[in-house]
Amino acid sequence: MPQTTYLDRVRKLQQAMKELGFAALVLEPGPAMADLTGVRWGRSERTFAMIVTETGVPAWVLPAFEEKRARELIRSGDLHLWQEDENPFAIIAQVLRDRGLQSGRLGLEDSVRFFVFDGLRRQAPRFEYASAAAALNR
């Protein structure tokens, strides 16, 4: 049986998102991100997030000083770096806008920390926030 690639896993997730009505998903480092992409990253007070939209490659938002290490681990996607004086949630909201999303259903992986959710909803208040579990568990 052929092993699925990370890109195949993202495509399968995107299909589930369409079926379940998610405009985008946001994940933090953890088992879901590792299973989906192979990227294993520790959590800290600095936001590192992956954004998956219905089409295209994932977007990654991370501290600029982590760029070199991230490029070694991330196989597919666009990197969006934030500096210490920038708001990472504003960058996530900008990524969504750049991909044509101003509102809709935004799924958060269940272990996303409250400060990430709160920062994001302040920057992107027109979204309906929901658990991404149904899409991630398909």
Side-chain angles (χ1 to χ4, degrees):
M1 177 163 155
Q3 186 177 15
T4 61
T5 66
Y6 295 119
L7 190 54
D8 292 334
R9 292 177 191 168
V10 170
R11 286 186 192 121
K12 181 181 174 190
L13 176 60
Q14 289 171 323
Q15 183 59 42
M17 291 168 57
K18 289 175 189 174
E19 292 169 8
L20 295 168
F22 285 105
L25 301 184
V26 175
L27 291 84
E28 280 198 278
M33 182 185 286
D35 291 346
L36 188 63
T37 66
V39 174
R40 296 185 194 304
W41 199 274
R43 288 188 184 189
S44 76
E45 71 282 358
R46 291 180 177 93
T47 300
F48 179 103
M50 181 176 89
I51 301 101
V52 180
T53 52
E54 284 186 355
T55 60
V57 297
W60 301 83
V61 175
L62 58 131
F65 74 89
E66 296 281 18
E67 179 181 11
K68 183 177 185 222
R69 180 171 166 240
R71 288 197 185 278
E72 292 171 358
L73 296 174
I74 295 171
R75 293 175 175 89
S76 175
D78 301 322
L79 270 60
H80 302 267
L81 309 175
W82 59 272
Q83 300 293 335
E84 291 293 323
D85 62 342
E86 293 180 299
N87 182 337
F89 312 112
I91 294 172
I92 294 171
Q94 186 61 53
V95 167
L96 294 169
R97 286 190 297 275
D98 290 348
R99 293 188 177 203
L101 301 173
Q102 300 275 342
S103 63
R105 193 164 177 227
L106 184 64
L108 300 175
E109 189 264 327
D110 285 348
S111 73
V112 168
R113 295 168 292 175
F114 181 79
F115 82 89
V116 174
F117 160 67
D118 190 48
L120 185 53
R121 74 176 171 174
R122 291 173 190 266
Q123 296 295 319
R126 295 175 57 197
F127 285 91
E128 170 197 346
Y129 291 85
S131 169
L136 290 166
N137 294 328
R138 280 208 163 178

